[in-house]
């Protein structure tokens, strides 16, 4: 029997070369709830906010009449104990390494939460699982985890005044890009009076992608799904020129940098950066000094009006009359990105 299996394995290697015959998809659901993939399954997958429809549990400008961002998915629980408390295992969405654990629920509106770092196609992407009842006791920062491995039990911890009721029990699930490893120092300098209990793992240093779109794209494209292409395919909200040639995002997300022969020849004096509505820098083009007009640190080059009408809630740009400018939140994002 073992010999037969070996022979079969050899046949696979022969038939498919060194490529894996069954290419695993990078991301999977963080709980057993897969209703997102069923027709009309959204009601069973998402939990809305109190008195609102399931859409308010999705990613985007879905809160406060479109003016408040929800940076993850609120995924409904499937199983409960006799007291009605959620008991769903929470699973790592992909292979990775535990990056951060918060076991002090009173310090965050996320309650108990775990962040896992994944390296996929050269991209550092961070999954986050929040409102957990219990985090697996042996789990520590730096520990490797496998896709589908149980890391916690779903709960409803949060430090918010209103809390999370039993019927709204869910895991809040995010997929983020990491802005700057010097965040803690930037934050101290920029907000000297504010507390930062989570170091680099402050929500401001993590920029979410829409996990629903990502999971659906993966399902539709199968083996052809490509994370870099998914990120490059974001809808542009605005484009800025920054007079800085070196900042952490360029190294961490080098796959998003486009070639420019002129900058290569003359030297790079700055970057033209395209952002989506949530502030994800998804395309960066080096620019030579001879291509840069004006002297300002940040130059707003363009704004996509239609996208701003659709997704204005991060307030990164604003319009006065017919004139667009970077709003204070936009300037803050650029300061952190280039710090
Ligand atoms: Zn949430």
């Amino acid at each position: 029997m073992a010999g037969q299996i070996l022979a079969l394995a050899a046949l696979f290697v022969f038939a498919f070369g060194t490529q894996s015959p069954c290419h695993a998809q990078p991301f999977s659901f963080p709980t057993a709830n897969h209703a997102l993939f069923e027709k009309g399954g959204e009601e069973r997958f998402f939990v809305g906010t109190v008195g609102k429809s399931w859409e308010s549990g999705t990613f985007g400008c879905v809160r406060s009449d479109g003016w408040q961002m929800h940076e993850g998915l609120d995924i409904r629980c499937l199983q409960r104990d006799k007291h009605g408390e959620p008991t769903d295992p929470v699973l790592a969405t992909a292979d990775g390494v535990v990056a951060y654990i918060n076991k002090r629920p009173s310090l965050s509106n996320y309650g108990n939460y775990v962040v896992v770092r994944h390296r996929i196609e050269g991209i550092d992407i961070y999954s986050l699982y929040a409102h957990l009842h219990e985090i697996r006791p042996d789990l520590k920062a730096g520990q490797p985890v496998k896709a589908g491995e149980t890391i916690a039990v779903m709960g409803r911890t949060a430090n918010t005044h209103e809390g999370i009721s039993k019927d709204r029990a869910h895991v809040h699930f995010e997929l983020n890009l990491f802005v700057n490893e010097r965040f803690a120092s930037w934050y101290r300098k920029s907000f000297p009076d504010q507390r930062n209990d989570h170091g680099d793992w402050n929500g401001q240093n993590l920029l979410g992608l829409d996990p629903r779109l990502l999971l659906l794209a993966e399902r539709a494209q199968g083996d052809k799904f490509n994370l870099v292409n998914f990120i490059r395919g974001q809808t542009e909200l605005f484009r800025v020129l920054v007079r800085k040639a070196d900042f952490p995002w360029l190294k961490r997300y080098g796959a998003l940098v486009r070639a420019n022969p002129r900058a290569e020849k003359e030297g790079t004096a700055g970057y033209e950066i395209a952002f989506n509505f949530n502030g994800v820098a998804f395309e960066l083009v080096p620019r030579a000094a001879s291509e840069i007009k004006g002297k300002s640190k940040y130059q707003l080059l363009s704004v996509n009006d239609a996208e701003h009408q659709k997704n204005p809630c991060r307030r990164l740009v604003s319009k006065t009359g017919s004139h667009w400018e970077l709003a204070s939140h936009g300037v803050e994002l650029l300061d952190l990105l280039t710090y």
Side-chain angles (χ1 to χ4, degrees):
M1 187 66 183
Q4 273 178 347
I5 290 169
L6 269 180
L8 202 64
L11 188 70
F12 259 96
V13 173
F14 175 74
F16 296 95
T18 50
Q19 279 186 334
S20 164
C22 47
H23 176 75
Q25 299 205 345
F27 300 97
S28 49
F29 284 104
T31 76
N33 190 339
H34 297 185
L36 179 66
F37 285 171
E38 292 160 26
K39 198 169 160 13
E42 288 88 355
E43 298 256 16
R44 279 172 289 121
F45 187 76
F46 294 107
V47 178
T49 52
V50 179
K52 301 279 180 189
S53 68
W54 61 266
E55 282 93 344
S56 57
T58 63
F59 173 96
C61 299
V62 296
R63 303 259 164 108
S64 309
D65 297 321
W67 283 97
Q68 195 193 334
M69 180 72 193
H70 181 237
E71 210 154 8
L73 309 182
D74 286 351
I75 303 173
R76 189 178 285 279
C77 92
L78 291 179
Q79 54 185 67
R80 297 175 185 271
D81 67 12
K82 61 175 192 257
H83 305 291
E85 293 292 349
T87 58
D88 303 43
V90 173
L91 320 168
T93 184
D95 292 354
V97 173
V98 177
Y100 185 69
I101 294 178
N102 178 50
K103 285 188 181 176
R104 295 172 298 171
S106 64
L107 290 186
S108 172
N109 52 6
Y110 283 176
N112 292 320
Y113 68 93
V114 177
V115 181
V116 180
R117 184 180 73 241
H118 314 277
R119 182 115 183 126
I120 294 167
E121 298 167 27
I123 294 274
D124 271 347
I125 187 161
Y126 294 78
S127 58
L128 183 149
Y129 316 79
H131 308 311
L132 304 169
H133 169 65
E134 194 185 19
I135 295 164
R136 215 177 76 202
D138 67 299
L139 214 61
K140 287 181 185 64
Q143 193 170 328
V145 291
K146 286 282 175 200
E149 186 176 327
T150 299
I151 53 173
V153 176
M154 192 187 284
R156 47 195 188 91
T157 54
N159 73 352
T160 49
H161 174 68
E162 60 277 21
I164 300 167
S165 63
K166 279 185 197 172
D167 60 304
R168 287 192 62 246
H170 62 269
V171 66
H172 170 95
F173 173 59
E174 297 184 359
L175 289 174
N176 296 299
L177 302 185
F178 183 96
V179 185
N180 197 324
E181 60 270 22
R182 298 173 66 213
F183 176 84
S185 133
W186 173 82
Y187 195 85
R188 261 195 312 278
K189 199 181 123 215
S190 310
F191 308 98
D193 305 331
Q194 302 278 316
R195 279 177 61 163
N196 176 20
D197 292 311
H198 306 289
D200 285 348
W201 307 102
N202 183 302
Q204 221 182 321
N205 201 28
L206 297 168
L207 294 174
L209 296 168
D210 186 342
R212 177 196 192 192
L213 293 183
L214 195 147
L215 288 164
L216 290 172
E218 225 182 45
R219 178 171 151 99
Q221 296 161 21
D223 282 0
K224 292 189 183 66
F225 175 81
N226 177 288
L227 180 60
V228 173
N229 285 345
F230 178 81
I231 298 172
R232 280 186 184 156
Q234 301 292 302
T235 301
E236 181 172 326
L237 173 61
F238 65 107
R239 191 169 276 260
V240 173
L241 191 110
V242 301
R243 289 186 153 275
K244 190 129 191 208
D246 183 30
F247 46 94
W249 192 275
L250 294 168
K251 289 188 194 76
R252 186 165 281 113
Y253 300 113
L256 304 175
V257 177
R258 298 279 177 158
N260 176 9
R262 188 152 158 189
E264 265 164 51
K265 197 167 141 226
E266 298 174 19
T268 299
Y271 278 85
E272 185 179 318
I273 311 175
F275 293 88
N276 77 358
F277 80 92
N278 195 31
V280 171
F282 66 94
E283 186 188 83
L284 302 99
V285 186
R287 290 291 176 210
S290 62
E291 295 177 295
I292 300 176
K293 296 186 198 83
K295 287 270 174 277
S296 54
K297 197 165 140 197
Y298 310 133
Q299 216 179 308
L300 182 62
L301 301 173
S302 61
V303 177
N304 175 350
D305 234 311
E307 179 61 8
H308 187 261
Q309 276 182 29
K310 220 167 125 192
N311 293 309
C313 65
R314 284 291 311 272
R315 297 176 163 88
L316 299 172
V317 288
S318 62
K319 200 176 189 180
T320 319
S322 61
H323 177 72
W324 282 104
E325 56 189 11
L326 283 166
S328 61
H329 290 290
V331 172
E332 212 171 275
L333 171 72
L334 292 167
D335 283 346
L336 172 60
L337 185 75
T338 58
Y339 181 70

